[in-house]
Amino acid sequence: MASKSDVRLLMNDGNTIPVIGFGTYAPEYVPAADSEKAAKIAIDVGFRHIDGAHLYFNEKEIGRAIQEKIADGTIKRQDLFYTGKLWSTFHVPELIQSHVKQSLQTLQLDYMDLYLIHWPFSLKSGGEFMPVDENGKIIFDTNVDLCAIWEALEQCKDAGLVKSIGVSNFNRRQLELILNKPGLKYKPVCNQVECHPYLNQSKLLKFCKSNDILLAGYSVLGSHRHKDWVDQTSPVLLEDPVLAAIGKQYNKSPAQVALRYQIQRGVIVIAKSYNPERIKENIKVFDFELSSEDMKLIDGINRNLRYVAIPVFADHPQYPFKDEY
Ligand code: NAP
Ligand code: WDT
């Protein structure tokens, strides 16, 4: 039996967000055309939230998938929730509106539902997305005022370019910096961070809930284990015996258990797959409910394992992952 997959949560600005989103980043060896195919399948099987970013180099293809699914009558624009992100080389307040307009043009959209600051740290602006010096070292920008970036996002919301604004990869201190900004007009609606049973973010989740900020989880299936930035010797989340045993009871896969776990604790989940069978599998998480005992068992496998730690960013003074949370 098909169950309704368009379940939404209310955000602190009055807009709503679907609890499950489709992740669109794929490693560089995956052709961008695959992004378009996968996004169309995702919409066909019921995903109504698409998580994108300028950084993913596929805004054109994702935009095309959305347009085709609107044109063939599968969805209306207002039923689809699109998230975009401001990459760290665009941390120039007076250029942000025009950058957002550029992304909208590439996407063929006239607004984004949500726009996030991708990372709290800034990189040298105006050139490549990963600016490096002659020694191959990434060039940071350490003079950027995050509050000024936030004000530029507030202006994008007021201009109607984006409906809601939020952050990604912010720690508690960085969230507080925005929340305590004098003259704050809009609070971030969410903080998108890595979140799965091996890094369950219980402290950050509690902090976000107490401030009416939603936590959106990425790498909820244990990440795509990119060879350049994920430790290949780290344990594979979806091979965890607890997730397998629980899944067996409900006739669900470890991936479905990992997704359902987040939904039941109030976390927005972003799941990436470009494989048709697995895309279908990932949306089938609304026809079962984990018992509170099983939720506790999953809480018990937390091991503070961060797959996406990105050592090349770690020397930046605004690198978020040195604080406990
Ligand atoms: P993920 O969603 O945890 O994992 C995706 C990996 O799991 C892929 O290798 C996928 O391979 C596989 N997979 C998917 N469904 C499966 C299933 N049912 N059973 C078994 N394997 C399955 O992690 P992610 O790719 O790191 O992140 C997902 C999305 O989160 C990204 O696309 C992006 O939108 C967002 N993200 C944001 C940030 C940020 O800084 N804000 C950082 C990382 C990610 P196949 O494609 O082959 O199925
Ligand atoms: C190169 C460029 C390395 C993955 C960017 C690492 C990685 C952001 C995703 C992402 C980065 C990064 N993703 O969606 O899977 O750490 O900024 O959003 S990154």
Side-chain angles (χ1 to χ4, degrees):
M1 194 190 67
S3 64
K4 198 169 148 22
S5 58
D6 186 16
V7 178
R8 288 180 173 240
L9 288 180
L10 182 64
M11 301 188 284
N12 65 32
D13 65 355
N15 295 326
T16 61
I17 180 170
V19 298
I20 188 162
F22 177 70
T24 61
Y25 173 81
E28 49 295 336
Y29 54 82
V30 177
D34 290 11
S35 300
E36 183 177 338
K37 279 187 223 153
K40 283 179 7 188
I41 295 168
I43 294 170
D44 280 336
V45 304
F47 281 91
R48 291 294 175 267
H49 168 176
I50 293 184
D51 183 77
H54 179 76
L55 174 77
Y56 304 162
F57 296 102
N58 55 13
E59 278 179 328
K60 198 172 187 68
E61 289 74 15
I62 298 299
R64 244 191 246 136
I66 295 170
Q67 289 313 316
E68 287 172 51
K69 287 290 125 192
I70 292 173
D72 77 4
T74 307
I75 48 163
K76 296 194 184 72
R77 172 65 187 93
Q78 63 266 29
D79 301 328
L80 187 83
F81 189 100
Y82 180 85
T83 303
K85 307 186 193 85
L86 178 74
W87 181 241
S88 294
T89 55
F90 297 90
H91 284 190
V92 186
E94 53 282 11
L95 298 180
I96 289 176
Q97 278 218 28
S98 69
H99 175 59
V100 171
K101 284 181 184 158
Q102 180 61 61
S103 278
L104 286 170
Q105 200 176 352
T106 308
L107 286 157
Q108 301 178 252
L109 295 179
D110 45 33
Y111 65 88
M112 292 188 225
D113 295 275
L114 175 61
Y115 197 62
L116 310 178
I117 302 179
H118 205 143
W119 287 95
F121 56 73
S122 311
L123 303 177
K124 179 180 165 282
S125 65
E128 288 183 65
F129 80 103
M130 283 289 254
V132 289
D133 66 17
E134 57 280 4
N135 303 313
K137 245 182 86 85
I138 300 196
I139 311 171
F140 299 152
D141 187 341
T142 54
N143 294 310
V144 173
D145 175 8
L146 260 186
C147 288
I149 305 294
W150 186 254
E151 287 167 4
L153 261 62
E154 290 180 329
Q155 286 161 16
C156 290
K157 177 170 157 85
D158 283 333
L161 301 173
V162 303
K163 301 284 185 199
S164 296
I165 52 177
V167 299
S168 176
N169 297 306
F170 275 43
N171 63 29
R172 175 188 173 138
R173 196 171 40 82
Q174 292 162 332
L175 283 170
E176 282 175 331
L177 180 78
I178 305 291
L179 293 173
N180 297 332
K181 187 186 87 67
L184 181 71
K185 188 163 186 190
Y186 305 116
K187 280 174 38 159
V189 294
C190 73
N191 184 20
Q192 184 185 115
V193 295
E194 178 174 341
C195 188
H196 45 70
Y198 285 170
L199 180 74
N200 71 25
Q201 301 277 20
S202 55
K203 290 183 179 167
L204 188 60
L205 178 59
K206 192 165 172 221
F207 175 78
C208 286
K209 282 186 176 171
S210 71
N211 285 282
D212 197 18
I213 294 169
L214 292 171
L215 193 148
Y218 71 68
S219 300
V220 291
L221 303 174
S223 92
H224 55 278
R225 306 182 64 86
H226 195 289
K227 62 169 176 38
D228 293 344
W229 68 75
V230 175
D231 173 4
Q232 299 297 308
T233 66
S234 60
V236 176
L237 178 72
L238 296 183
E239 290 173 2
D240 187 275
V242 172
L243 296 180
I246 292 175
K248 225 172 160 190
Q249 293 173 47
Y250 298 88
N251 199 18
K252 291 286 177 181
S253 68
Q256 290 167 322
V257 172
L259 295 169
R260 183 71 206 179
Y261 168 69
Q262 301 295 2
I263 293 170
Q264 285 185 215
R265 60 207 285 267
V267 170
I268 306 282
V269 282
I270 294 156
K272 179 267 174 182
S273 176
Y274 277 15
N275 171 285
E277 292 314 312
R278 291 190 285 275
I279 297 171
K280 266 184 232 153
E281 179 183 323
N282 293 345
I283 196 80
K284 289 183 189 154
V285 289
F286 297 97
D287 58 355
F288 75 116
E289 189 173 345
L290 296 167
S291 68
S292 59
E293 291 75 30
D294 288 335
M295 289 295 290
K296 283 194 200 98
L297 284 175
I298 303 170
D299 285 338
I301 63 174
N302 181 53
R303 50 179 87 180
N304 298 318
L305 170 64
R306 191 182 293 282
Y307 291 107
V308 185
I310 320 286
V312 290
F313 297 146
D315 294 332
H316 199 294
Q318 271 79 47
Y319 182 74
F321 308 139
K322 282 178 203 143
D323 292 8
E324 187 202 351
Y325 72 99

